[in-house]
Amino acid sequence: DTAVSQTPKYLVTQMGNDKSIKCEQNLGHDTMYWYKQDSKKFLKIMFSYNNKELIINETVPNRFSPKSPDKAHLNLHINSLELGDSAVYFCASSQVFKREGPRLNEQFFGPGTRLTVL
Amino acid sequence: AQKVTQAQTEISVVEKEDVTLDCVYETRDTTYYLFWYKQPPSGELVFLIRRNSFDEQNEISGRYSWNFQKSTSSFNFTITASQVVDSAVYFCALSEALQAGTALIFGKGTTLSVSS
């Protein structure tokens, strides 16, 4: 009964390869995100999707392509991997409550995928 | 522009000491949310607290307490009687409540080491 799951947990690959990381949430949330944590532990948003629609696309190389087949899934495909892509990638999800008053944006994070490019 | 500053990169304390982690934020919005997350050595991100900008009450949860001061744009986190299990990286984050998909803006984190 994991809330946000990612596969694989570890990914070791050679430069130039293409790889994908999968993310699934069973919380019924309508928004999903990808964050990147670099070697200095700095966490930065890459993408966010709301109801399968791209909302945020930060300055990320176009070798990175997110795909959301449905609200519960947000996968990250990376082409032509480079050494600098080595990082931990976190998926997250949240629900925006459309009620009176402020919306909530509490994000639930997956366990992370540690990508190592050799 | 939004920004979160955690000026303390690393803090080392001995068990049972109290420790305060500082967080200063910048935003032009009047409605926003502040968060603290813990990242233990195992790597996962653990949610600790969310505070709304319109609620300045301080909060206490066991050994943890949070001091939100809008006047100084700070949201500091205090651990009382620290324990070795508190050793982790702690992140402060900011979210503006504009629309769906709004991302968290994280500070660079404070690494807390608690020794026995």
Side-chain angles (χ1 to χ4, degrees):
Chain A
D1 59 341
T2 305
V4 182
S5 60
Q6 295 179 228
T7 53
K9 189 166 173 61
Y10 299 97
L11 185 52
V12 180
T13 188
Q14 299 285 334
M15 240 176 18
N17 284 350
D18 302 339
K19 290 293 177 186
S20 292
I21 306 172
K22 296 186 176 181
C23 178
E24 177 181 2
Q25 54 95 2
N26 62 7
L27 297 165
H29 288 169
D30 59 7
T31 305
M32 297 184 73
Y33 310 79
W34 278 109
Y35 288 85
K36 178 181 180 179
Q37 185 174 42
D38 63 22
S39 57
K40 295 185 178 178
K41 298 281 188 179
F42 184 49
L43 274 157
K44 189 173 179 184
I45 184 69
M46 299 174 69
F47 303 101
S48 75
Y49 270 74
N50 176 251
N51 286 319
K52 302 195 301 174
E53 182 183 341
L54 181 65
I55 302 296
I56 292 176
N57 183 353
E58 287 295 305
T59 309
V60 176
N62 56 17
R63 298 181 294 104
F64 290 78
S65 52
K67 285 194 172 46
S68 182
D70 54 57
K71 283 189 345 180
H73 296 85
L74 180 61
N75 304 323
L76 183 65
H77 189 75
I78 315 171
N79 288 329
S80 303
L81 278 155
E82 300 178 357
L83 294 176
D85 297 332
S86 295
V88 180
Y89 293 85
F90 285 97
C91 178
S93 73
S94 70
Q95 178 67 39
V96 175
F97 294 100
K98 296 182 180 177
R99 297 176 184 163
E100 293 180 359
R103 300 167 182 173
L104 300 176
N105 193 26
E106 182 174 337
Q107 296 187 16
F108 293 78
F109 284 82
T113 295
R114 182 174 292 278
L115 171 64
T116 303
V117 182
L118 304 175
Chain B
Q2 307 169 68
K3 186 179 178 182
V4 176
T5 301
Q6 294 179 255
Q8 305 148 308
T9 306
E10 295 182 9
I11 301 177
S12 295
V13 299
V14 178
E15 248 187 335
K16 298 184 184 176
E17 282 186 33
D18 298 347
V19 58
T20 294
L21 309 181
D22 297 333
C23 173
V24 173
Y25 62 92
E26 293 176 31
T27 178
R28 285 179 289 191
D29 278 12
T30 54
T31 302
Y32 51 88
Y33 299 92
L34 296 163
F35 301 79
W36 277 94
Y37 282 85
K38 173 182 179 180
Q39 187 174 41
S42 50
E44 71 273 22
L45 284 163
V46 179
F47 167 81
L48 294 178
I49 189 171
R50 180 189 68 237
R51 174 58 74 212
N52 307 330
S53 57
F54 48 87
D55 180 2
E56 282 196 75
Q57 281 190 350
N58 291 329
E59 182 150 341
I60 298 175
S61 176
R63 297 184 297 106
Y64 295 171
S65 61
W66 290 270
N67 184 352
F68 178 29
Q69 300 260 356
K70 283 181 82 168
S71 59
T72 56
S73 297
S74 64
F75 186 42
N76 296 337
F77 173 31
T78 298
I79 302 174
T80 303
S82 59
Q83 299 176 2
V84 172
V85 293
D86 295 328
S87 297
V89 183
Y90 290 87
F91 293 96
C92 181
L94 166 70
S95 170
E96 292 175 348
L98 296 176
Q99 59 186 10
T102 302
L104 292 177
I105 305 300
F106 284 89
K108 292 190 175 182
T110 297
T111 299
L112 174 64
S113 300
V114 183
S115 57
S116 57

Coordinates of all heavy atoms in Angstrom, one line a residue, chain A residues 9 30-31 33 35 37 40-45 48-50 55-56 88 90 94 96 102-111, chain B residues 31 33 35 37 39-40 42-45 47 50 52 54 89 91 95-108 111:
Chain A
K9 N 14.8 1.6 -8.2 CA 15.3 2.3 -7.1 C 16.7 2.7 -7.5 O 17.2 3.8 -7.1 CB 15.3 1.5 -5.8 CG 15.7 2.3 -4.6 CD 15.3 1.6 -3.4 CE 15.8 2.3 -2.1 NZ 15.3 3.6 -2.0
D30 N -4.3 14.5 -8.4 CA -4.4 14.9 -9.8 C -3.2 15.6 -10.3 O -3.1 16.0 -11.5 CB -5.6 15.9 -10.0 CG -5.5 17.1 -9.1 OD1 -4.5 17.3 -8.5 OD2 -6.5 17.9 -9.1
T31 N -2.2 15.8 -9.5 CA -0.9 16.4 -9.9 C 0.3 15.6 -9.5 O 0.4 15.1 -8.4 CB -0.8 17.8 -9.2 OG1 -2.0 18.6 -9.5 CG2 0.4 18.6 -9.7
Y33 N 4.8 15.3 -10.1 CA 6.0 16.1 -10.3 C 7.2 15.2 -10.4 O 7.3 14.0 -9.9 CB 6.2 16.9 -9.0 CG 5.1 17.7 -8.5 CD1 4.1 17.1 -7.8 CD2 5.0 19.1 -8.8 CE1 3.0 17.9 -7.3 CE2 3.9 19.8 -8.3 CZ 2.9 19.2 -7.5 OH 1.9 19.9 -7.1
Y35 N 11.3 15.8 -9.4 CA 12.3 16.7 -8.9 C 13.7 16.0 -9.1 O 13.8 14.7 -9.1 CB 12.1 16.9 -7.4 CG 11.0 17.8 -7.0 CD1 9.7 17.3 -6.9 CD2 11.2 19.1 -6.7 CE1 8.6 18.1 -6.5 CE2 10.1 19.9 -6.3 CZ 8.9 19.4 -6.2 OH 7.8 20.2 -5.9
Q37 N 17.6 15.7 -7.4 CA 18.5 16.1 -6.3 C 19.9 15.8 -6.7 O 20.3 14.6 -7.0 CB 18.1 15.3 -5.0 CG 19.0 15.7 -3.8 CD 18.5 15.0 -2.5 OE1 18.2 13.9 -2.5 NE2 18.5 15.8 -1.5
K40 N 25.0 17.7 -4.4 CA 25.1 18.5 -3.2 C 23.8 18.5 -2.4 O 23.6 19.4 -1.6 CB 25.5 19.9 -3.6 CG 26.9 20.0 -4.2 CD 27.3 21.4 -4.5 CE 28.7 21.5 -5.0 NZ 29.1 22.8 -5.4
K41 N 22.9 17.6 -2.8 CA 21.6 17.5 -2.1 C 20.6 18.5 -2.5 O 19.5 18.6 -1.8 CB 21.8 17.4 -0.6 CG 22.6 16.3 0.0 CD 21.8 15.0 0.0 CE 22.6 13.9 0.7 NZ 21.8 12.7 0.8
F42 N 20.9 19.4 -3.4 CA 19.9 20.4 -3.8 C 18.8 19.8 -4.6 O 19.0 19.2 -5.6 CB 20.7 21.5 -4.6 CG 19.8 22.7 -4.9 CD1 19.0 23.3 -3.9 CD2 19.7 23.2 -6.2 CE1 18.2 24.4 -4.2 CE2 18.9 24.3 -6.5 CZ 18.2 24.9 -5.5
L43 N 17.6 20.1 -4.2 CA 16.4 19.6 -4.8 C 15.7 20.7 -5.7 O 15.5 21.8 -5.2 CB 15.3 19.2 -3.7 CG 15.4 17.8 -3.1 CD1 14.8 17.8 -1.8 CD2 14.8 16.8 -4.1
K44 N 15.5 20.3 -6.9 CA 14.9 21.3 -7.8 C 13.8 20.7 -8.7 O 14.0 19.5 -9.2 CB 16.0 21.9 -8.7 CG 15.5 23.1 -9.5 CD 16.6 23.7 -10.3 CE 16.1 24.9 -11.1 NZ 17.1 25.5 -11.9
I45 N 12.7 21.4 -8.9 CA 11.6 20.9 -9.7 C 12.1 20.8 -11.2 O 12.9 21.6 -11.7 CB 10.4 21.9 -9.6 CG1 9.2 21.3 -10.4 CG2 10.8 23.3 -10.1 CD1 8.6 20.1 -9.8
S48 N 6.0 19.4 -13.8 CA 4.7 19.0 -13.0 C 3.6 18.8 -14.0 O 3.6 19.5 -15.1 CB 4.4 20.0 -12.0 OG 3.8 21.2 -12.6
Y49 N 2.8 17.9 -13.7 CA 1.6 17.6 -14.6 C 0.3 17.6 -13.7 O 0.3 17.1 -12.6 CB 1.7 16.1 -15.1 CG 2.4 16.0 -16.5 CD1 3.8 16.2 -16.5 CD2 1.7 15.8 -17.6 CE1 4.4 16.1 -17.7 CE2 2.4 15.7 -18.8 CZ 3.7 15.8 -18.9 OH 4.4 15.7 -20.1
N50 N -0.7 18.2 -14.3 CA -2.0 18.2 -13.6 C -3.0 17.6 -14.6 O -3.2 18.1 -15.7 CB -2.4 19.6 -13.3 CG -3.8 19.7 -12.7 OD1 -4.8 20.2 -13.2 ND2 -3.9 19.2 -11.5
I55 N 2.3 21.3 -16.7 CA 2.1 22.6 -16.1 C 3.5 23.3 -16.0 O 3.6 24.5 -16.3 CB 1.5 22.5 -14.7 CG1 0.2 21.8 -14.8 CG2 1.4 23.8 -14.0 CD1 -0.9 22.5 -15.5
I56 N 4.4 22.7 -15.4 CA 5.8 23.2 -15.3 C 6.8 22.5 -16.1 O 6.8 21.2 -16.1 CB 6.2 23.2 -13.8 CG1 5.3 24.1 -12.9 CG2 7.7 23.6 -13.6 CD1 5.7 24.1 -11.5
V88 N 19.7 11.8 -7.9 CA 18.6 11.1 -7.4 C 17.3 11.8 -7.9 O 17.2 13.0 -7.8 CB 18.5 11.0 -5.9 CG1 17.3 10.3 -5.4 CG2 19.8 10.4 -5.3
F90 N 13.3 12.2 -7.8 CA 12.1 12.0 -6.9 C 10.9 12.3 -7.7 O 10.7 13.4 -8.3 CB 12.2 12.9 -5.7 CG 13.2 12.4 -4.6 CD1 14.4 13.0 -4.6 CD2 12.8 11.4 -3.7 CE1 15.3 12.6 -3.6 CE2 13.7 11.0 -2.8 CZ 15.0 11.6 -2.7
S94 N 0.4 15.4 -5.5 CA -0.4 16.3 -4.6 C -1.8 16.4 -5.2 O -2.1 16.1 -6.3 CB 0.3 17.6 -4.4 OG 0.2 18.4 -5.6
V96 N -4.9 19.3 -5.4 CA -5.3 20.7 -5.2 C -6.8 20.7 -4.8 O -7.6 20.2 -5.7 CB -5.1 21.5 -6.4 CG1 -5.7 22.9 -6.2 CG2 -3.6 21.6 -6.7
P102 N -7.9 28.9 0.6 CA -6.6 28.5 -0.1 C -6.6 27.1 -0.5 O -7.2 26.2 0.1 CB -5.5 28.7 1.0 CG -6.2 29.4 2.1 CD -7.7 29.2 2.0
R103 N -5.9 26.8 -1.6 CA -5.7 25.4 -2.0 C -4.5 24.8 -1.3 O -3.6 25.5 -0.8 CB -5.4 25.4 -3.5 CG -6.5 26.0 -4.3 CD -6.0 26.2 -5.7 NE -7.1 26.9 -6.5 CZ -6.9 27.3 -7.7 NH1 -5.7 27.2 -8.3 NH2 -7.9 27.9 -8.4
L104 N -4.6 23.5 -1.1 CA -3.5 22.9 -0.4 C -2.5 22.3 -1.5 O -2.9 21.9 -2.6 CB -4.1 21.7 0.4 CG -5.0 22.2 1.5 CD1 -5.6 21.0 2.2 CD2 -4.4 23.2 2.5
N105 N -1.3 22.2 -1.1 CA -0.3 21.6 -2.1 C 0.7 20.8 -1.4 O 1.9 20.9 -1.6 CB 0.4 22.8 -2.8 CG 1.1 22.3 -4.0 OD1 0.8 21.3 -4.6 ND2 2.2 23.0 -4.4
E106 N 0.2 19.9 -0.5 CA 1.1 19.1 0.3 C 1.5 18.0 -0.7 O 0.7 17.3 -1.3 CB 0.4 18.4 1.5 CG 1.3 17.6 2.3 CD 0.6 17.1 3.5 OE1 -0.4 17.8 4.0 OE2 1.0 16.1 4.1
Q107 N 2.8 17.8 -0.8 CA 3.4 16.9 -1.8 C 3.9 15.6 -1.1 O 4.6 15.7 -0.1 CB 4.5 17.5 -2.6 CG 3.9 18.7 -3.4 CD 4.9 19.2 -4.4 OE1 5.9 18.7 -4.7 NE2 4.5 20.4 -4.9
F108 N 3.5 14.5 -1.6 CA 4.0 13.2 -1.1 C 5.1 12.7 -2.1 O 4.8 12.6 -3.3 CB 2.8 12.2 -1.1 CG 1.8 12.6 -0.1 CD1 0.9 13.6 -0.3 CD2 1.7 11.9 1.2 CE1 -0.1 13.9 0.6 CE2 0.8 12.3 2.1 CZ -0.2 13.3 1.8
F109 N 6.2 12.3 -1.5 CA 7.3 11.9 -2.4 C 7.5 10.4 -2.4 O 7.2 9.7 -1.5 CB 8.6 12.5 -1.8 CG 8.8 14.0 -2.1 CD1 8.1 15.0 -1.4 CD2 9.5 14.4 -3.2 CE1 8.2 16.3 -1.7 CE2 9.6 15.8 -3.5 CZ 9.0 16.7 -2.8
G110 N 8.0 10.0 -3.6 CA 8.4 8.6 -3.7 C 9.7 8.4 -3.1 O 10.4 9.3 -2.6
P111 N 10.2 7.1 -3.1 CA 11.5 6.8 -2.4 C 12.7 7.3 -3.2 O 13.8 7.3 -2.6 CB 11.5 5.3 -2.4 CG 10.6 4.9 -3.5 CD 9.6 5.9 -3.7
Chain B
T31 N -0.5 34.7 0.1 CA -0.9 33.4 0.5 C 0.2 32.4 0.0 O 0.5 32.3 -1.2 CB -2.2 33.0 -0.1 OG1 -3.2 33.9 0.3 CG2 -2.6 31.6 0.3
Y33 N 2.6 28.6 1.4 CA 2.7 27.5 2.4 C 4.2 27.2 2.6 O 5.0 27.3 1.7 CB 2.1 26.2 1.9 CG 0.6 26.4 1.7 CD1 0.1 26.7 0.4 CD2 -0.3 26.2 2.7 CE1 -1.3 26.9 0.2 CE2 -1.7 26.4 2.5 CZ -2.1 26.7 1.3 OH -3.5 26.9 1.1
F35 N 7.0 24.4 4.4 CA 7.1 23.0 4.8 C 8.5 22.8 5.4 O 9.5 23.5 5.1 CB 7.0 22.1 3.5 CG 5.7 22.3 2.7 CD1 5.5 23.4 1.9 CD2 4.7 21.3 2.8 CE1 4.4 23.5 1.2 CE2 3.6 21.5 2.1 CZ 3.4 22.5 1.3
Y37 N 10.9 19.2 5.5 CA 11.1 17.8 5.2 C 12.4 17.3 5.8 O 13.3 18.0 5.9 CB 11.1 17.5 3.7 CG 9.8 17.6 3.0 CD1 9.3 18.8 2.5 CD2 9.1 16.4 2.7 CE1 8.0 18.8 1.9 CE2 7.9 16.4 2.0 CZ 7.4 17.7 1.6 OH 6.2 17.7 1.0
Q39 N 15.3 14.3 5.5 CA 15.9 13.2 4.6 C 17.0 12.5 5.4 O 18.1 12.9 5.5 CB 16.5 13.8 3.3 CG 16.9 12.7 2.3 CD 17.4 13.3 1.0 OE1 18.1 14.3 1.0 NE2 17.0 12.7 -0.1
P40 N 16.6 11.3 6.0 CA 17.6 10.5 6.7 C 18.6 9.9 5.8 O 18.4 9.9 4.5 CB 16.7 9.5 7.4 CG 15.4 9.4 6.5 CD 15.2 10.7 5.9
S42 N 18.9 7.0 4.8 CA 18.3 6.1 3.8 C 17.8 6.8 2.6 O 17.5 6.1 1.6 CB 17.2 5.3 4.5 OG 16.3 6.2 5.2
G43 N 17.6 8.1 2.6 CA 17.4 8.8 1.3 C 16.0 9.3 1.1 O 15.8 10.1 0.2
E44 N 15.0 8.7 1.7 CA 13.6 9.1 1.4 C 13.3 10.5 2.0 O 14.0 11.0 2.9 CB 12.6 8.1 1.9 CG 12.4 8.1 3.4 CD 13.4 7.2 4.2 OE1 14.5 6.9 3.6 OE2 13.1 6.8 5.3
L45 N 12.3 11.2 1.5 CA 11.9 12.5 2.0 C 10.7 12.3 2.9 O 9.7 11.9 2.4 CB 11.6 13.5 0.8 CG 12.8 14.0 0.1 CD1 12.4 14.6 -1.3 CD2 13.5 15.1 0.9
F47 N 7.9 14.0 5.2 CA 7.2 15.3 5.5 C 7.1 15.5 7.0 O 6.8 14.5 7.7 CB 5.8 15.2 4.9 CG 4.8 16.2 5.4 CD1 4.8 17.5 4.8 CD2 3.9 16.0 6.3 CE1 3.9 18.5 5.2 CE2 3.0 16.9 6.8 CZ 3.0 18.2 6.2
R50 N 3.5 21.3 7.5 CA 3.1 22.4 6.6 C 2.5 23.5 7.4 O 1.7 23.3 8.4 CB 2.0 21.9 5.6 CG 1.6 23.0 4.6 CD 0.4 22.5 3.8 NE -0.8 22.3 4.6 CZ -1.5 21.2 4.7 NH1 -1.1 20.1 4.0 NH2 -2.6 21.1 5.4
N52 N 0.5 27.3 6.9 CA -0.1 28.3 6.0 C 0.3 29.7 6.4 O 0.4 30.0 7.6 CB -1.6 28.2 6.1 CG -2.1 26.8 5.9 OD1 -1.5 26.0 5.2 ND2 -3.2 26.4 6.5
F54 N -1.4 32.4 6.6 CA -2.3 33.1 7.4 C -2.5 32.6 8.8 O -3.3 33.0 9.6 CB -3.7 33.1 6.7 CG -4.1 31.7 6.3 CD1 -4.8 30.9 7.1 CD2 -3.8 31.3 5.0 CE1 -5.2 29.6 6.7 CE2 -4.2 30.0 4.6 CZ -4.9 29.2 5.4
V89 N 19.4 15.2 6.8 CA 19.4 16.5 6.1 C 17.9 17.0 6.3 O 17.0 16.3 6.0 CB 19.8 16.4 4.7 CG1 19.8 17.8 4.0 CG2 21.1 15.7 4.5
F91 N 15.2 19.9 5.1 CA 14.9 20.9 4.1 C 13.7 21.7 4.5 O 12.6 21.2 4.9 CB 14.6 20.2 2.7 CG 15.7 19.5 2.1 CD1 15.9 18.1 2.3 CD2 16.7 20.2 1.4 CE1 17.0 17.5 1.8 CE2 17.7 19.5 0.8 CZ 17.9 18.2 1.0
S95 N 5.8 27.0 -1.0 CA 4.9 26.8 -2.1 C 3.9 28.0 -2.2 O 3.3 28.3 -1.2 CB 4.2 25.5 -2.0 OG 3.1 25.4 -2.9
E96 N 3.8 28.5 -3.3 CA 2.8 29.6 -3.5 C 1.5 29.0 -4.0 O 1.5 28.1 -4.8 CB 3.3 30.6 -4.5 CG 4.5 31.4 -4.0 CD 5.0 32.4 -5.0 OE1 4.7 32.3 -6.1 OE2 5.9 33.2 -4.6
A97 N 0.4 29.4 -3.4 CA -0.9 28.7 -3.7 C -1.6 29.4 -4.9 O -2.6 30.0 -4.8 CB -1.8 28.8 -2.5
L98 N -1.0 29.3 -6.1 CA -1.5 29.9 -7.2 C -2.4 29.0 -8.1 O -3.5 29.4 -8.5 CB -0.4 30.4 -8.1 CG 0.5 31.5 -7.5 CD1 1.6 31.9 -8.4 CD2 -0.3 32.8 -7.2
Q99 N -1.9 27.8 -8.4 CA -2.6 26.9 -9.3 C -2.1 25.5 -9.1 O -1.1 25.3 -8.4 CB -2.4 27.4 -10.7 CG -0.9 27.4 -11.1 CD -0.7 27.9 -12.5 OE1 -1.6 28.5 -13.1 NE2 0.5 27.7 -13.0
A100 N -2.8 24.6 -9.7 CA -2.4 23.2 -9.6 C -1.1 23.1 -10.3 O -0.7 23.7 -11.3 CB -3.4 22.4 -10.4
G101 N -0.3 22.2 -9.7 CA 1.1 22.0 -10.2 C 2.1 22.9 -9.7 O 3.3 22.8 -10.2
T102 N 1.8 23.8 -8.8 CA 2.8 24.7 -8.2 C 3.9 23.8 -7.5 O 3.5 23.0 -6.7 CB 2.2 25.7 -7.3 OG1 1.2 26.4 -8.0 CG2 3.2 26.6 -6.7
A103 N 5.1 24.1 -7.8 CA 6.2 23.3 -7.3 C 6.6 23.8 -5.9 O 6.3 24.9 -5.5 CB 7.4 23.3 -8.2
L104 N 7.3 22.9 -5.2 CA 8.0 23.3 -3.9 C 9.3 23.9 -4.3 O 10.0 23.4 -5.1 CB 8.2 22.1 -3.0 CG 6.9 21.5 -2.4 CD1 7.3 20.3 -1.6 CD2 6.2 22.5 -1.5
I105 N 9.6 25.0 -3.7 CA 11.0 25.6 -3.8 C 11.7 25.3 -2.5 O 11.3 25.7 -1.4 CB 10.9 27.2 -3.9 CG1 10.0 27.6 -5.1 CG2 12.3 27.8 -4.1 CD1 10.4 27.0 -6.4
F106 N 12.8 24.5 -2.7 CA 13.5 24.0 -1.5 C 14.7 24.9 -1.2 O 15.3 25.5 -2.1 CB 14.0 22.6 -1.8 CG 13.0 21.6 -1.7 CD1 12.3 21.2 -2.8 CD2 12.8 20.9 -0.5 CE1 11.3 20.2 -2.8 CE2 11.8 19.9 -0.4 CZ 11.1 19.6 -1.6
G107 N 15.0 25.0 0.1 CA 16.3 25.5 0.5 C 17.4 24.5 0.3 O 17.1 23.3 -0.2
K108 N 18.6 24.8 0.5 CA 19.7 23.9 0.2 C 19.9 22.8 1.3 O 20.8 21.9 1.1 CB 21.0 24.7 0.0 CG 20.9 25.5 -1.3 CD 22.3 26.1 -1.7 CE 22.1 26.8 -3.0 NZ 23.4 27.4 -3.5
T111 N 22.4 19.9 7.2 CA 22.8 18.5 7.6 C 23.0 18.5 9.1 O 23.9 19.2 9.6 CB 24.1 18.0 6.9 OG1 23.8 18.0 5.5 CG2 24.5 16.6 7.4

